Every structure is written in structure tokens, then in C-alpha cells.
Amino acid sequence: MYGHSDFDYPIAFEGYVATTFAEYVIDPKPRNRLWMVEDEQGLVGTIGVMDRGDSAQLRWFSVRPDWRENNLGNFLFGAAMEYIQENDFQKAWLSTFSESEIAVALYKRRGFRIMVETDVEIGGKNYREIVMEKSFLT
């Protein structure tokens, strides 16, 4: 939604995101969830949870730049994490890119830790993808 313009990702990044969203539509699962917030101008924020068995994958976390100071990101992220815990997922995981330094810092502050880093190519450019995880097992 905003990755292309925020981080100077190639336009192919939008296709990459659309491909991941297709799974949500094509293979719906009862514990999958999507939160979307709109204003009179359109979509302002999203976050999704994909059921991966005992784990939940966070997807499509994005807030329109003019809404980032309104705490919408904290609200969306908090709603998704509450849902994950209420539905007895053992862990949550997500992927982001090293270019998203603010996102990586946010996830670390919320108890996620880096599990894997890999190089990926999108639209002819190389990026460092980071997979982060948070366990809810005691």
C-alpha cells in the first residue's frame, strides 16, 4: 500500500504484496483476519493475520503517512496481537525488509526477535528480508 513510495521499492513490490494478499482471498481460513481503516479519502491503515496452524503470520501492516501521528499503527498492531493471543496461537511471526528500520525497531520493542535474514530480489533490485517472531508459550 505505501511501501513503494515510502522506501523507493520498485513498482514490482506492489505485485509482490498483491500476490501475498491473493492467498487470503483464495484460501480463506476461519482464523484469518484483516483490519482496514478508511477515512473520506480512502484507505488509511491495514493489518492482517494469517492462520499458519500453531502460529499466526502478521501481514500487510501499513498506515498512510498522514495518519502515522494519530496512533493508528499502535491501534492496528495492538488489535492484531490481542486477536492472536485470544485465539491461542503459540507464536506470531512477520517479515519485513532491512530498509524498514522504523518497522524493525517497532517489532523489537513489542517483543519480536530476528529469526532469519535472507536476500531477495524484487523488480531487479536486491533487498534484505528479515523474519521476526514472538512466542506466547510460557
Side-chain angles (χ1 to χ4, degrees), residues 6-60:
D6 281 353
F7 302 107
D8 196 31
Y9 294 144
I11 195 67
F13 180 77
E14 304 297 336
Y16 168 80
V17 173
T19 300
T20 68
F21 190 72
E23 177 190 0
Y24 180 85
V25 176
I26 293 168
D27 186 23
K29 294 181 181 171
R31 294 194 303 170
N32 288 353
R33 287 292 180 276
L34 178 63
W35 291 262
M36 300 171 73
V37 178
E38 295 179 310
D39 68 5
E40 58 280 346
Q41 298 173 349
L43 196 59
V44 296
T46 61
I47 194 166
V49 171
M50 295 291 290
D51 181 350
R52 304 292 187 206
D54 68 344
S55 66
Q57 181 183 13
L58 287 162
R59 306 294 317 244
W60 318 300

Side-chain angles (χ1 to χ4, degrees), residues 87-138:
N87 284 273
D88 300 320
F89 288 102
Q90 294 178 11
K91 62 183 174 180
W93 65 277
L94 56 88
S95 65
T96 190
F97 295 98
S98 61
E99 291 79 11
S100 305
E101 294 173 3
I102 292 172
V104 172
L106 174 132
Y107 301 139
K108 284 181 176 180
R109 283 193 311 273
R110 286 171 171 77
F112 283 77
R113 59 189 177 105
I114 295 173
M115 303 302 291
V116 178
E117 295 186 43
T118 55
D119 293 321
V120 297
E121 184 269 326
I122 301 173
K125 290 181 75 178
N126 292 319
Y127 298 93
R128 189 83 174 155
E129 183 176 29
I130 300 171
V131 176
M132 301 181 78
E133 178 181 287
K134 178 177 181 170
S135 176
F136 298 106
L137 297 175
T138 53

